[in-house]
Amino acid sequence: GQNIDQPTEMTATEGAIVQINCTYQTSGFNGLFWYQQHAGEAPTFLSYNVLDGLEEKGRFSSFLSRSKGYSYLLLKELQMKDSASYLCAVKGVGGTDKLIFGTGTRLQVFP
Amino acid sequence: DGGITQSPKYLFRKEGQNVTLSCEQNLNHDAMYWYRQDPGQGLRLIYYSQIVNDFQKGDIAEGYSVSREKKESFPLTVTSAQKNPTAFYLCASSRGQEYYEQYFGPGTRLTVT
């Protein structure tokens, strides 16, 4: 079966660092995406990992371990505008571009 | 500017009526997708299309229909057979190749009473 797990909610303080974990069990693996979604808006692309290791992009970094079926999104120097849901999505195999989404992690940043 | 448009932003319908949600992209993407998002749930795939005149059912296709007559357009019809149609509907597109992300439209919030 296909399963992607993320914590439902997290809270953090402005200026701090937060790590959002994602574990997956899918039939095949062809990359993992992180998206940010503010309430009532469209998801926007944050990062893509297909090989093991850390990808850094400004304040955001994403890590992947394929052998453990595990990824995390690291947000540094948190700002109030980072309050949003963070969606983990896995692309399987099979010649299609389909993504399997987790339920998302709602992050609240407090001053 | 290139992007994906969905209209309308909010849509209200009476139970028993079919309704069509619009999705247009000018990114020259081959692949297009429709997702449904409910509170506390992840995005669930309704239908997807990798090329014009071809589309495939996703995980929750029952009660929905689509067409892909043009590369730019992928309308979704929510039929009266869909038992719980009230939801936030998101359209996305991508280049259809392995390493490219999906771009999402702004979404349509459908309320059926």
Side-chain angles (χ1 to χ4, degrees):
Chain A
Q2 319 270 47
N3 196 46
I4 298 179
D5 285 319
Q6 305 178 235
T8 304
E9 288 195 15
M10 297 183 72
T11 60
T13 306
E14 202 173 10
I17 299 173
V18 71
Q19 178 175 312
I20 302 174
N21 296 325
C22 171
T23 58
Y24 64 89
Q25 291 175 308
T26 56
S27 53
F29 178 83
N30 213 3
L32 187 144
F33 294 80
W34 284 95
Y35 284 84
Q36 181 191 59
Q37 185 180 25
H38 286 98
E41 297 182 9
T44 55
F45 169 76
L46 290 177
S47 69
Y48 171 67
N49 295 70
V50 66
L51 299 176
D52 291 351
L54 188 68
E55 294 281 341
E56 295 187 80
K57 234 189 220 184
R59 293 190 299 116
F60 293 4
S61 303
S62 57
F63 171 83
L64 175 67
S65 169
R66 288 172 295 169
S67 62
K68 295 181 180 176
Y70 168 70
S71 173
Y72 67 73
L73 180 69
L74 193 71
L75 291 74
K76 302 176 188 174
E77 300 169 18
L78 279 172
Q79 302 174 10
M80 297 296 289
K81 67 178 182 179
D82 297 330
S83 293
S85 288
Y86 291 86
L87 313 179
C88 173
V90 172
K91 183 176 287 188
V93 294
T96 75
D97 209 31
K98 288 168 55 177
L99 289 177
I100 304 157
F101 281 86
T103 55
T105 298
R106 187 174 167 224
L107 174 67
Q108 288 187 284
V109 180
F110 293 100
Chain B
D1 286 332
I4 303 176
T5 57
Q6 291 184 245
S7 59
K9 178 75 173 170
Y10 298 95
L11 191 55
F12 298 88
R13 280 293 182 270
K14 294 289 186 185
E15 205 172 302
Q17 293 179 334
N18 291 355
V19 60
T20 297
L21 281 58
S22 164
C23 177
E24 304 276 331
Q25 55 98 0
N26 61 2
L27 300 167
N28 199 32
H29 284 170
D30 288 315
M32 297 186 74
Y33 312 81
W34 274 105
Y35 293 92
R36 169 184 172 136
Q37 189 173 35
D38 296 283
Q41 297 199 38
L43 275 66
R44 291 184 290 167
L45 183 64
I46 304 172
Y47 267 99
Y48 65 101
S49 167
Q50 292 185 276
I51 197 167
V52 175
N53 292 322
D54 186 52
F55 49 82
Q56 307 293 329
K57 291 182 179 180
D59 301 317
I60 54 165
E62 187 176 347
Y64 300 97
S65 66
V66 293
S67 62
R68 187 86 187 278
E69 296 175 4
K70 298 188 297 182
K71 188 175 186 178
E72 305 78 24
S73 179
F74 191 40
L76 173 76
T77 297
V78 185
T79 75
S80 56
Q82 167 51 231
K83 294 179 182 172
N84 294 296
T86 295
F88 187 46
Y89 290 88
L90 287 159
C91 178
S93 71
S94 76
R95 295 190 194 183
Q97 296 165 38
E98 285 186 346
Y99 306 114
Y100 293 101
E101 68 271 26
Q102 293 183 13
Y103 292 81
F104 285 84
T108 292
R109 189 167 297 280
L110 173 65
T111 302
V112 176
T113 56

